[in-house]
């Protein structure tokens, strides 16, 4: 949190998390924008009121900027042989 907005693989829906599973929600099946979470070094109170890890925002997949990034994660499954 605080360095860059983190790209997520999930498609974005502004209403999804209100009705999503509490554990490991994966987002809707389709969409036009991907989930961004967290916040970045460019956040300011005048336009970024979600400066926290659980915050969700969105942007189109072809977007790029110096304050967008990603984190590699593993779902816990062993790697393929």
């Amino acid at each position: 949190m605080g360095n860059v907005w983190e790209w997520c693989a999930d498609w974005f829906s502004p209403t999804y998390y209100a009705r999503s599973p509490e554990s490991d929600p994966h987002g809707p099946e389709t969409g036009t924008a991907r989930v961004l979470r967290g916040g970045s070094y460019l956040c300011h109170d005048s336009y970024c009121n979600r400066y926290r890890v659980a915050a969700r925002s969105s942007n189109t997949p072809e977007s790029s900027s110096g304050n967008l990034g990603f984190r590699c994660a593993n779902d816990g499954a062993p790697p393929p042989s």
Side-chain angles (χ1 to χ4, degrees):
M1 180 192 90
N3 189 16
V4 295
W5 281 97
E6 179 183 305
W7 279 113
C8 297
D10 302 352
W11 289 108
F12 180 79
S13 167
T15 58
Y16 177 77
Y17 292 104
R19 54 179 168 60
S20 68
E22 286 188 28
S23 178
D24 198 19
H26 288 281
E29 295 287 323
T30 62
T32 58
R34 295 285 188 180
V35 171
L36 293 173
R37 63 180 234 159
S40 82
Y41 62 91
L42 294 176
C43 281
H44 186 274
D45 289 342
S46 66
Y47 58 86
C48 184
N49 60 3
R50 297 171 304 275
Y51 190 58
R52 58 192 178 88
V53 173
R56 296 290 185 272
S57 186
S58 66
N59 211 334
T60 56
E62 67 274 3
S63 298
S64 66
S65 178
N67 67 329
L68 301 174
F70 65 93
R71 175 179 54 146
C72 295
N74 183 326
D75 65 3
S81 309

